[in-house]
Amino acid sequence: MFSRWFDTSDLSPGLVAFLALLAIFFGAFLVYPLLYVFLNAFYQDGQFSTTFFGLMLQNPVQQRALINSFELGIAATIATTIISLPIAYALVRFDFPGKGILGGLMLIPMVMPPFVGAIGMRQMFARFGSVNLLLLDTGIIETPIDWFGGGGFLGVVVLEALHLYPLMYLNIAAGLANVDPSLEESARNVGASGFRLFRTVTFPLMLPGYFAGAIIVFIWAFTDLGTPLIFEYREVVSVQIFNMVTDVHENPIGFALVVLVLLLTLILVYLSKKFFGGRRYEMIARGHVVSAARKATRGQTALIYFALLSVTAIALIPHASVVLTSISDRWFMTVLPSEYTGAYYSQIFDHDLTLLSIKNSLFLSVLSTIIDVVLGVMIAYVLTRRRFPFKDMLDALTMLPLALPGLVLAFGYVAGFSGTWFDVRESPVPLLIIAYAVRRLPYMVRAAYAGFQQTSIALEEASMNLGAGPFRTLWKITLPLVVANLVAGAILSFSFAMLEVSDSLILAVKEQYYPITKAIYALMGRIADGPYMASAMGMLGMALLAGSLIFTGKVLGKKMGELFKV
Amino acid sequence: MVSVTLEQVTKEFGEVQAVRNVSLDIQKGELFFMLGPSGCGKTTLLRMIAGFYLPTMGRILFADRDISRTPPHKRNSGMVFQNYALWPHMTVSENVAYGLSVRKVSGSERKRRVDEALDMVRMKRYSERSPNQLSGGQQQRVALARALVINPDVVLLDEPLSNLDARLRLEMRDEIRRIHDEIGATMIYVTHDQKEALSMADRIAIMGMGEVRQIGDARMVYNQPADRFVANFIGETNFIDGTLTEQVSSEKSIETDVGVLRSTAPESKPRTTGDEVSCSIRPEEIQIVDDSIEDPNSNCIQAHVTQIMYLGEHEQYTVILSDGTLIKVVEYSPESRRAQVGDEVSLRFPTSRVVILDRE
């Protein structure tokens, strides 16, 4: 028989203990810091008040920061839509030679935190950077162009867009693949075609995927800290919050700003869930039954190649400039570096700050990954295999950090745990580990969840039937069957932790505890060899992330996109 | 090998009663079938015996041991799953050896028993293969060996042949029966395929709507169905409704819209004159004849032929009675075609084959 029923609940003492442990973990490190920020934003001397919000909105700097951040988020969303929508549509709906490789190219920009790219971009597009020098040399312009017009706004938008379009692409492609081709066929059947078909049928059907992508891009751009810092574009919400962390208890406006970001995030996530359904775990259910793709003509193929390769080439400019910076010995007032050297790569392993930061990052990331693997596997296991009360809540709590800006959580940690055991001014190590773990747990849970879901319960039942208890079954049967997913999830968690930006910038307040990202930021402030060494460090991070993304993509295949949905 | 006893077992899933008040006595060494349409509760019952579900009410005993609340891994049952559930990350022999290593059987003894089990299902030369290099039938054999190698108290088979093609299914039927006879295991076999059950079973429990409707051997459930559900589910049958008017010793008369029918078939329960009943007559018991000679051992009614279907080894006639009832008739000598569509014919069937059932 095919129907399978389950008892209404499988609570056992072990499960209860595990759920209690999770309640403590999430309670202390997710709910409490957020609650703390909320309370401090709304209570003044024990009274409910919105004074701080009033102060925040009256302050012209804060006003400008809010407007700038909104504009930044919206501009990045629009830019990524323009880049990704046509390409995703072409890649999902057309078959042509080399499609797989082109699909992979679309993901390349993800291998670099945008603020590392910013280092390279600054070099390229500075007043006397490569581009302006080239244009001046060839006589096209007379005076240098201010590429980052508006005090860096344009530069930040460009970098955010170039970094985030893959996320948009993955979400749109997943949304498109979920559109049943027969729905389009029936529309065509009644006479709709071309843009009309797209506007009236395809686009509305793929909206859930699009909005998931748009929201994540908006939140990411709105709250990104690293890029504006490098561009010294300080009038944005993220940088304002960053500056206020140090004196949280003297200046409560920081709380109000964080609450604003938090509310905005929650509202957006809530709206997308409410209106576009939570089909988060569905793995492109019908897409493969009927292939929607049709063969592209030669002209179309050429057009797709041209569009995609130009986008990729542009997206690679920051990477290329980081590479160049990292190997240039002298690069001043010339289009390309005048002398090259590999010395910075060896220097980062000699220099105290960089070497220590690499060690710190490794240590922090390994520990946070272990936490993620243990918790993630168990959470995914109980979510797929057990029935228990508050299951939806556990699911929601685990996934919340996907949408929650790192900035908000880090701010909550600094404020909420100051004066306690976990005070970052004593040692940021425990909170850094926990912050990394909480922020990357969703990836681990999703990777493991996908594995458990694909593994038939009958395989576990067969083991129990032959006399193996639950733990032996888990160890001998279930885990070996999902090991690829677990490795993929763990590697992804690890490499993202290594390159975590906002948590690291905010939490690591002492140089001896600097992780890689904070060390890069610190290096940028050093005049002489700073940018060169920062670039070399950035390259190291890029290589790490690229390797792990390629590996994860190989293991998870099409499901890769699912990892990055809100 | 043990006997298996179910005492008034009920299983509820929320509001739904999947299994209702089932009591069974399965003998030691018996090949026992649970047969029924999908959703009848047979798999739920089997999963309760395996321990994957706990009964809401009632008890399950292996021999005299109450195992109703025992977790599955402490029951010593060997289950063959519908989709085989072979572990893809282990070879054939590792799959089979698993239950033995759980039982801490030593290396050499383990190897001997794995070989023996694989030998029994004729899969010894595939022992180093991975399960996904095997065909469906071969996977089935390995699943069987894996369940048997631990010397289970009872072997549970959950629709084991439903994923095989028709020819392989026939072959595996014989194979499972042979293995059963060879080792004399108590086996409980769940299926919706009546041919499987009729051809293999020592006894069959027919299930419908979560209840056991009848228990008996193949001949009994076919020839003396307990109710209309059983008669209809096992084989095909025709129903003619009527009223019981006369009972003289073993002969009963039933008055129907198409005349009086007489029945001498054994009855499952006593009835009183005046009861509303259904007469069940199997299509193959009915003969189409031209004349209407009186015969004390046969019933004879008039009909019109409405359809003739040629099916190779037999022909199926659909005829209509004077009150509009459609009757199926199966004739096993297609070369001598007796009637044409539209012909007025007589139907003759032995009184001993008219089974009286409750109307419902």
Side-chain angles (χ1 to χ4, degrees), chain A residues 5 459 461 463 465-466, chain B residues 11 47 53 79 87 98 103:
Chain A
W5 294 285
L459 294 174
E461 288 175 347
S463 164
N465 176 254
L466 291 174
Chain B
K11 178 67 189 173
R47 291 174 65 80
Y53 297 148
M79 183 145 168
W87 301 302
Y98 185 82
R103 283 168 177 70

Side-chain angles (χ1 to χ4, degrees), chain B residues 204-245:
Chain B
I204 304 170
I206 318 271
M207 295 191 62
M209 309 285 284
E211 291 176 317
V212 171
R213 310 298 283 255
Q214 187 173 11
I215 303 173
D217 65 25
R219 285 194 167 74
M220 183 174 155
V221 295
Y222 190 81
N223 291 326
Q224 297 163 46
D227 56 25
R228 279 180 66 130
F229 174 84
V230 175
N232 222 353
F233 184 72
I234 303 223
E236 262 195 287
T237 196
N238 298 296
F239 292 117
I240 301 175
D241 293 345
T243 314
L244 189 61
T245 50

Side-chain angles (χ1 to χ4, degrees), chain A residues 283-295:
Chain A
M283 303 287 181
I284 307 173
R286 276 165 301 170
H288 59 93
V289 180
V290 189
S291 172
R294 55 179 191 275
K295 239 182 145 37

Side-chain angles (χ1 to χ4, degrees), chain A residues 21 132 134 208 378 394 429 467 518 545:
Chain A
L21 176 83
N132 276 343
L134 185 70
M378 289 170 78
L394 173 60
V429 171
K518 182 114 188 195
L545 200 53

